[in-house]
Structure formats: C-alpha cells, structure tokens
Amino acid sequence: MTRTALYAGSFDPITRGHLDIIERASHMFDSITVGVLVNNSKVPLLTLDERMDIVQKVTSHLSNVEVECFGGLLADYVNQKKFSAVIRGLRATTDFEYEIQMAQMNDRLFTGDTETIFLMTNPEYSFISSSLVKEVASLGGDVQGLLPGYALDVITRKLRNRK
Ligand code: PNS
C-alpha cells in the first residue's frame, strides 16, 4: 500500500518550522503533497505563484515531495486525492485547541480512512509563525534563520518594493 500524505497551509511564506515538518514527514510516507491554500480569509503578502515557487524551490532536495494548490474545503481535496494522512505541525498548547477542532471536523468530512497526524515542532522553531515573521520583517527586524534562505530573499524584496 502506498502511504501518501498532505501537508496543507497558506505558506505565506513557508518557514523553517514548516520545512522541518515536511522533511520529517518525507521519511515517514511514500509521498508528501504540500498543498498551498489558494484563498485565505487573511490578505496574503505573497501571491499564490510566489508561495508555490518558494515551496517548490526549498523542497527540491526531497525527491518524494510535490507541491500543488487547492481551494475550498481541505476535506474535499483529501477525498478526491485519497491521501492516507493529513500532517499538521503542533507548536504549543494554543495550537492544539484549534488543531483538534479542525482534525475532528475534517474526520467527519473525510469519506475514506484518512488520519490526521500531528508532528511536534522542533523546539528550535516553536516560536515561529509566518505572520509573526512578516510583522517583524516589515518593521525592519532581523528574521534571518527563521525562513529558508530563498523565502527570506523573496519577502525581503517584496517588503522593500512595498515601501
Ligand atoms: O497555514 P495554516 O493557517 O496553518 O493552514 C490552515 C489550513 C489551510 C489547513 C486550513 O485553514 C484549511 O484547511 N483551510 C481550507 C478550508 C477548510 O477546509 N476549512 C475547514 C477546516 S475544518
């Protein structure tokens, strides 16, 4: 049986914490699809193409990782692609409340045997979120080491052009 997993998110932009989860999950599954969310209630800094391009480049060393985009309900996408699992990273107890709610709702909506699997974020990255990184970077703070190098280059350029 081929074990396939979806790792979904806005990735606006992908962080070192996200990448760590993808790398670890890539050892556990035959293939990982990174699903970049098309529309979000939040206005993204990066376009869908930019987010996908960054994810593609920073995961290019992982032969069993591919990048796709999806819109609408995650469960519809999962049911259509028949993923064995949905991977989520957990940073802290605050994440847990939201994540368990989402996992249980999705479980109701999944038509197959898809399981949501939580991986603990590496403590080195547990304080990182895309929104905090964007806020700090937009106010001139140093976010070196929090994003993969290419993602840092793109958001630095983007923020500079916005001024
Ligand atoms: O980058 P994020 O905010 O961690 O990603 C959250 C994501 C994309 C997994 C979640 O917002 C999602 O599943 N969105 C798709 C819409 C959906 O299915 N909503 C109901 C969730 S139970």
Side-chain angles (χ1 to χ4, degrees), residues 71-133:
L73 271 184
L74 177 135
D76 287 342
Y77 178 49
V78 166
N79 293 339
Q80 181 210 329
K81 305 280 280 192
K82 299 187 173 24
F83 292 109
S84 324
V86 170
I87 304 290
R88 297 292 296 164
L90 270 188
R91 287 168 302 192
T93 49
T94 41
D95 272 352
F96 185 75
E97 302 218 343
Y98 168 65
E99 291 294 338
I100 193 163
Q101 204 179 4
M102 223 166 38
Q104 289 173 338
M105 176 64 85
N106 278 332
D107 191 57
R108 255 187 111 252
L109 300 170
F110 292 155
T111 51
D113 294 331
T114 308
E115 289 284 352
T116 299
I117 294 181
F118 295 105
L119 295 184
M120 298 299 162
T121 299
N122 182 328
E124 210 181 319
Y125 307 128
S126 63
F127 64 96
I128 306 177
S129 70
S130 300
S131 35
L132 201 54
V133 169

Side-chain angles (χ1 to χ4, degrees), residues 8 14 16 30 49 54 128 141 149 158 161:
I14 187 170
R16 290 286 292 274
D30 297 305
D49 284 349
I54 296 171
I128 306 177
K158 190 102 186 186
N161 290 341

Side-chain angles (χ1 to χ4, degrees), residues 135-155:
E135 183 181 333
V136 172
S138 70
L139 296 170
D142 181 8
V143 293
Q144 196 108 28
L146 307 185
L147 301 178
Y150 182 66
L152 182 61
D153 293 346
V154 175
I155 73 146

Side-chain angles (χ1 to χ4, degrees), residues 32-87:
I32 304 287
T33 300
V34 181
V36 181
L37 186 65
V38 175
N39 284 318
N40 199 326
S41 41
K42 307 163 232 165
V43 178
L45 169 67
L46 302 168
T47 64
L48 176 65
D49 284 349
E50 288 168 330
R51 288 180 282 140
M52 288 189 70
D53 169 58
I54 296 171
V55 177
Q56 228 132 27
K57 290 219 166 61
V58 305
T59 59
S60 60
H61 59 297
L62 301 167
S63 59
N64 64 341
V65 173
E66 60 170 9
V67 185
E68 289 190 346
C69 63
F70 77 101
L73 271 184
L74 177 135
D76 287 342
Y77 178 49
V78 166
N79 293 339
Q80 181 210 329
K81 305 280 280 192
K82 299 187 173 24
F83 292 109
S84 324
V86 170
I87 304 290

